[in-house]
Structure formats: C-alpha cells, structure tokens
C-alpha cells in the first residue's frame, strides 16, 4: 500500500513513533497474504505538558546548581540532582500508547461480535445439519477464543499505559514543584553566602533540597519496580497468546492451521430449516 511519497507504507505498532495521520493494521493469512486491513485513528497531538515542565525546571535550575556548588554538596549533590532530572519523562507517550491499545481492543471486540451476530442471524436460524455444528465449533474454539485473548490483552495493555501515564505525570509535577519552590530560595541564599550565617543557611537548604530529591527518587524506584512486575506479567501473557497462534507457541514452527473442515462445503452437510423440521 503506497504512501503519499510513493514508497511502501510502514506498520506502526502501539507505542512506536508514527505519523499523526491514521494508521493501518494488516491482518494476514497463513501464507502471510493480507486478508484485510484495519484503520486505527490518528494520534492525538502532544499537549506540550512535558515541554512546559522542562522549561519550568530550566528556569530555576541555575540558582539550584549554583547553590549546590557553593554549599560544597560535591559530586553526590550533583548526582542526586541529575538523577531526578534524568527521570523526568513525557507522559503523553504513555497516553498515546493507551489510546492505540484502546482502539485495537475496540476493533477486536467489534469483529468478534460481528462474527457471532452473523452466525446467529444468518446461519443458526436458517440451517441445520452437521455443517452448522462444524461451523459453530470452529467459531467457538478457534476464532472467537483468539479474538477474546487479543481483546483482553489489549485491554490490560491500555490500562497499564494509563497507570504509567498517571505516575509519570505525577513525578513530573513533583519535580517541577520542587524546582519552582527551591529555585528562588537558592537564588536568595547565594547572595548571602559571603556571610557566615548565609553560608550556613545555604548548606542547610542544600541538605533539605537533596533530602526531598532522595525522597522523590525513592518513590520513582518504587513505581518502577511496580510496573516492571506488571509488564513482566503482560509479557508472559503475550507468550501464552503465541500458543494460540503458533505451533507450540513458537513462531519459527509456523502458524496453526485455522482452516475449517473442508467438508463444510459439501451440500450433504447442510439442511435448510423449514416449517416441517424446525
């Protein structure tokens, strides 16, 4: 499928950087031929929260950096300050992943219901015979089960991305608040550092700042461990999901045979429902 530039289009999976326009997911058959395509809506624009947070931190970082240097906080102080800043992230990246997985979940569930309604609206009321039973078993134990697993996993991924979005946004807000409060204080104390009392006050303020920074880093580490465990659990579920699609769950061994029993095309397998045989 060519793009506007004439070259081949690329598949953008949830979370991967991609264009702002709509994205296309390709559903393939066993031979890797495209059976159908699904269009996922355009990405929402970045609201700019992360950019504003960085600008606010930069605004007050100079006095803090100078104050730590003048108070002889040393390398330890610089490392703690740097650790807080390096963990400031863009929460929009997780909200974008959340929305992408949410859309995929909607497509999975919608397609599953389309299949079920098609069966119960057009097949079950009008036909009897072994073919109907064969078709129902195929839908129940092959296709619908796969749709359910994909839908449930995409739902969990969307929820996890939402939780990570919240945690990153809260961490950013805490860092911005700390810099916003401490910056003016350090700026005032550095002007008084030439006096003994001012130097003592500056050293005390540096201790307060580094203590609060360590608390923030501890909270970040706790959140990191929490979500590392959740993502590990989701990774295991993805491995389970491979078992539904690949032989022994190994893509190298090829996809499972999802073809329906070919005898379902035999007319002897079908019997129209009439008033006499209802």
């Amino acid at each position: 499928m060519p793009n506007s530039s004439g070259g081949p289009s690329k598949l953008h999976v949830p979370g991967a950087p991609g264009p702002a326009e709509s994205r296309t997911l390709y559903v393939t058959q066993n031979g890797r031929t495209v059976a159908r395509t699904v269009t996922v809506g355009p990405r929402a624009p970045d609201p700019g929260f992360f950019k504003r947070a960085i600008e606010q931190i930069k605004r007050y970082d100079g006095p803090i950096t100078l104050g730590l240097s003048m108070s002889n906080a040393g390398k330890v102080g610089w490392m703690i300050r740097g650790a807080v800043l390096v963990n400031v992230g863009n929460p929009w990246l997780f909200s974008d992943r959340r929305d992408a997985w949410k859309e995929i979940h909607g497509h999975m569930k919608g397609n599953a219901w389309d299949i079920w309604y098609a069966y119960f609206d057009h097949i079950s009321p009008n036909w009897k015979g072994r073919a109907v039973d064969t078709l129902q078993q195929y839908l129940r134990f092959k296709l619908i089960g796969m749709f359910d697993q994909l839908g449930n996993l995409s739902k969990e991924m969307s929820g996890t991305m939402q939780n990570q979005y919240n945690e990153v946004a809260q961490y950013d807000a805490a860092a911005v608040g700390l810099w916003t409060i401490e910056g003016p204080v350090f700026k005032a104390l550095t002007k008084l550092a030439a006096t003994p009392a001012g130097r003592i006050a500056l050293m005390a303020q540096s201790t307060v700042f580094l203590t609060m920074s360590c608390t923030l880093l501890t909270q970040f580490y706790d959140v990191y461990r929490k979500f590392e465990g959740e993502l590990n659990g989701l990774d295991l579920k993805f491995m389970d999901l491979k078992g539904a699609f690949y032989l022994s769950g190994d893509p190298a061994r090829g996809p499972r045979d999802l073809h329906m029993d070919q005898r379902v095309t035999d007319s002897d397998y079908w019997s129209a429902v009439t008033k006499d045989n209802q």
Side-chain angles (χ1 to χ4, degrees):
M1 185 177 185
N3 55 23
S4 58
S5 62
S9 62
K10 296 181 179 180
L11 172 63
H12 297 284
V13 299
E21 66 268 14
S22 299
R23 291 156 287 175
T24 301
L25 303 178
Y26 300 98
V27 181
T28 62
Q29 298 174 334
N30 283 358
R32 296 195 175 186
T33 57
V34 176
R36 58 174 301 191
T37 59
V38 176
T39 301
V40 179
R43 297 171 56 181
D46 187 339
F49 170 83
F50 177 65
K51 180 180 179 180
R52 292 192 298 271
I54 294 298
E55 290 175 349
Q56 188 75 352
I57 289 175
K58 286 182 177 179
R59 179 181 177 184
Y60 294 105
D61 189 52
I64 292 175
T65 303
L66 179 61
L68 291 175
S69 299
M70 296 178 66
S71 64
N72 296 325
K75 292 183 178 180
V76 175
W78 277 76
M79 289 175 61
I80 294 174
R81 167 192 160 277
V84 173
L85 294 180
V86 78
N87 289 319
V88 174
N90 190 348
W92 174 80
L93 297 177
F94 293 101
S95 68
D96 183 53
R97 289 163 169 81
R98 173 203 63 196
D99 293 341
W101 282 110
K102 190 190 303 181
E103 290 183 45
I104 291 176
H105 175 265
H107 285 300
M108 292 297 105
K109 290 300 184 180
N111 288 336
W113 280 113
D114 288 345
I115 292 173
W116 269 125
Y117 278 121
Y119 172 80
F120 286 108
D121 288 348
H122 302 294
I123 304 298
S124 181
N126 301 311
W127 296 94
K128 298 179 64 177
R130 296 171 64 186
V132 176
D133 295 334
T134 300
L135 179 59
Q136 185 180 112
Q137 291 178 9
Y138 176 80
L139 297 180
R140 184 183 300 275
F141 297 108
K142 287 188 177 180
L143 289 186
I144 300 302
M146 290 181 169
F147 275 115
D148 285 343
Q149 288 196 52
L150 287 169
N152 292 337
L153 192 53
S154 60
K155 179 180 179 180
E156 289 192 48
M157 284 295 299
S158 181
T160 299
M161 294 300 104
Q162 171 64 27
N163 292 336
Q164 291 193 346
Y165 162 80
N166 290 335
E167 294 292 349
V168 171
Q170 289 176 14
Y171 178 89
D172 289 357
V176 170
L178 180 60
W179 257 249
T180 302
I181 293 173
E182 294 293 314
V185 176
F186 273 101
K187 184 176 182 179
L189 291 177
T190 52
K191 296 178 180 179
L192 304 174
T195 65
R199 184 171 182 80
I200 293 174
L202 181 60
M203 294 176 66
Q205 190 63 35
S206 296
T207 302
V208 171
F209 172 79
L210 294 177
T211 300
M212 296 178 67
S213 296
C214 287
T215 301
L216 190 58
L217 288 173
T218 301
Q219 294 174 352
F220 177 87
Y221 179 67
D222 290 340
V223 171
Y224 177 85
R225 287 193 306 169
K226 171 188 173 184
F227 283 107
E228 186 179 37
E230 288 191 17
L231 292 175
N232 181 67
L234 288 170
D235 192 32
L236 291 174
K237 291 183 179 181
F238 271 112
M239 292 182 181
D240 291 340
L241 189 64
K242 289 181 180 179
F245 287 88
Y246 300 101
L247 295 175
S248 299
D250 183 7
R253 300 187 63 176
R256 292 191 180 280
D257 182 6
L258 298 180
H259 294 300
M260 193 183 304
D261 189 338
Q262 294 300 311
R263 290 176 295 178
V264 77
T265 60
D266 191 336
S267 60
D268 294 336
Y269 264 47
W270 294 89
S271 175
V273 174
T274 64
K275 293 183 178 179
D276 297 331
N277 62 9
Q278 281 183 342

